[in-house]
Amino acid sequence: MRRDRVRERREPRHRGAGGAENFSSSFTALGLLGYDGAHVSANVVDLTSGLVLCAIDDRIVLPTASVGKVLLLIEVSARLTAREFSGYGILDKSLRDGAADSGIWQHLQAPSLPVADLGALVGATSDNLATNVLLRQVGLDAVRARTESLGLARTALLDLVRETRGPDDAPQLSVGSTAELAWLFGALYRGQVVDEVTSRRVMGWLSLNTDLSMVASAFGLDPLAHRAVDHGIQLVNKTGSDVGVRSEVGILRGPRAVVSYAVTVQFRDDSMARRLRSLEAMRTVGFDLLEYVH
């Protein structure tokens, strides 16, 4: 099982395999952040050969902000596949579901939307309101059970989206290890998460993602329209942003290779300069990814 493989393997904390020379800039950029006090983690896998191209502290658990919403989408998609509810089933928003920041449903007049549309909103804009409505429908316990069934031991959606977190609330929306997240996206790409229909639906939702501000900023894609192949590359990704946290996981397919990748940086967000350095390091990883697949 995936859980057994995660527990049994004991890899060096910093390494690169056959494609290491392609990721020397990534090692340098993320290493400099580490010297500055940030926690950095990265994992890149060639999905054709299975070769680990880059691994930097990829088994440590770090906050991943909205990246954990992927786990919710998997549970919702699995229920749609099992016909436990209809994709056209209408869900209402309520005051208790309210959450500011990311998403557009909070700015729309529509009081209700179909389940499948809510999945699309989460995939496209990491919609907080849609996330909470879906969580109210399926339950956080079900998401946790699904996560465990996939063999993910270091990755979890911990809570619903809250504008403020009190002492009795989970300190983070989600946590994860980049090794597990890169594996998860590779499994989604292959159609192996629950089943092919479930995986393809989740990938379809995530292909709408409009946030290309981190690793994907290096790919030169249109943030609002990049589902089709563009100059030989195609991207599916999910990002997470919070104070002092930037995280991204995705699939990048090019003429020469297909890779799954995950990068998380937790940094002291006390100045714009530190934030920009973190984003620039993630962009450097993106350049290395692009060079490898293109």
Side-chain angles (χ1 to χ4, degrees), residues 130-191:
T131 296
N132 283 352
V133 170
L134 288 171
L135 269 175
R136 174 161 52 83
Q137 178 71 17
V138 305
L140 192 57
D141 288 343
V143 177
R144 289 170 177 160
R146 181 72 64 181
T147 302
E148 292 175 2
S149 75
L150 296 173
L152 300 176
R154 298 178 174 89
T155 301
L157 180 64
L158 300 176
D159 200 3
L160 49 77
V161 181
R162 302 180 188 273
E163 294 188 21
T164 59
R165 294 196 171 275
D168 296 328
D169 301 323
Q172 304 287 343
L173 175 62
S174 76
V175 296
S177 81
T178 54
E180 288 191 344
L181 288 168
W183 172 86
L184 179 63
F185 264 59
L188 283 167
Y189 176 78
R190 296 187 181 100

Side-chain angles (χ1 to χ4, degrees), residues 22-23 26 34 46 74 90 101 130 166 171 197 209 236 253 259-260:
N22 297 87
F23 291 88
S26 297
D46 185 312
I74 291 170
I90 303 296
D101 299 325
V197 172
N209 186 26
V236 177
R253 181 164 66 95
V259 296
S260 62

Side-chain angles (χ1 to χ4, degrees), residues 52-279:
V52 177
L53 304 172
C54 175
I56 302 174
D57 283 350
D58 59 345
R59 301 194 180 282
I60 64 172
V61 177
L62 292 177
T64 51
S66 291
V67 166
K69 293 174 183 177
V70 174
L71 303 171
L72 170 63
L73 293 181
I74 291 170
E75 175 62 19
V76 171
S77 183
R79 293 191 179 204
L80 290 175
T81 302
R83 300 182 183 274
E84 293 185 24
F85 50 63
S86 167
Y88 297 103
I90 303 296
L91 297 182
D92 301 323
K93 62 182 177 183
S94 67
L95 289 177
R96 61 177 172 165
D97 300 315
D101 299 325
S102 64
I104 61 171
W105 194 14
Q106 61 185 310
H107 304 295
L108 303 180
Q109 294 297 310
S112 310
L113 287 172
V115 170
D117 287 0
L118 297 184
L121 285 179
V122 174
T125 66
S126 199
D127 198 292
N128 286 338
L129 178 55
T131 296
N132 283 352
V133 170
L134 288 171
L135 269 175
R136 174 161 52 83
Q137 178 71 17
V138 305
L140 192 57
D141 288 343
V143 177
R144 289 170 177 160
R146 181 72 64 181
T147 302
E148 292 175 2
S149 75
L150 296 173
L152 300 176
R154 298 178 174 89
T155 301
L157 180 64
L158 300 176
D159 200 3
L160 49 77
V161 181
R162 302 180 188 273
E163 294 188 21
T164 59
R165 294 196 171 275
D168 296 328
D169 301 323
Q172 304 287 343
L173 175 62
S174 76
V175 296
S177 81
T178 54
E180 288 191 344
L181 288 168
W183 172 86
L184 179 63
F185 264 59
L188 283 167
Y189 176 78
R190 296 187 181 100
Q192 297 171 339
V193 174
V194 182
D195 54 42
E196 186 169 357
V197 172
T198 297
S199 297
R200 293 286 172 259
R201 186 183 294 113
V202 173
M203 291 290 282
W205 287 334
L206 295 173
S207 70
L208 301 168
N209 186 26
T210 56
D211 184 7
L212 307 186
S213 65
M214 303 180 204
V215 175
S217 66
F219 304 152
L221 298 173
D222 183 345
L224 302 180
H226 56 268
R227 300 188 79 188
V229 176
D230 187 353
H231 285 295
I233 66 169
Q234 192 169 25
L235 169 74
V236 177
N237 74 324
K238 181 73 185 80
T239 57
S241 297
D242 202 349
V243 177
V245 175
R246 293 296 185 272
S247 184
E248 179 171 338
V249 56
I251 295 288
L252 183 66
R253 181 164 66 95
R256 295 198 305 166
V258 183
V259 296
S260 62
Y261 68 88
V263 182
T264 299
V265 179
Q266 184 181 24
F267 57 98
R268 191 166 69 253
D269 201 354
D270 57 359
S271 71
M272 182 60 72
R274 287 185 188 276
R275 181 182 294 179
L276 292 177
R277 281 198 295 269
S278 297
L279 290 171

Side-chain angles (χ1 to χ4, degrees), residues 8-22:
E8 287 174 3
R9 290 194 297 178
R10 293 293 182 268
E11 304 282 5
R13 296 179 65 197
H14 304 277
R15 76 185 194 286
E21 66 279 1
N22 297 87

Side-chain angles (χ1 to χ4, degrees), residues 24-34 40 277 280-282 284-285:
S24 58
S25 297
S26 297
F27 280 104
T28 299
L30 293 175
L32 288 174
L33 291 183
V40 299
R277 281 198 295 269
E280 185 60 30
M282 297 182 80
T284 298
V285 178

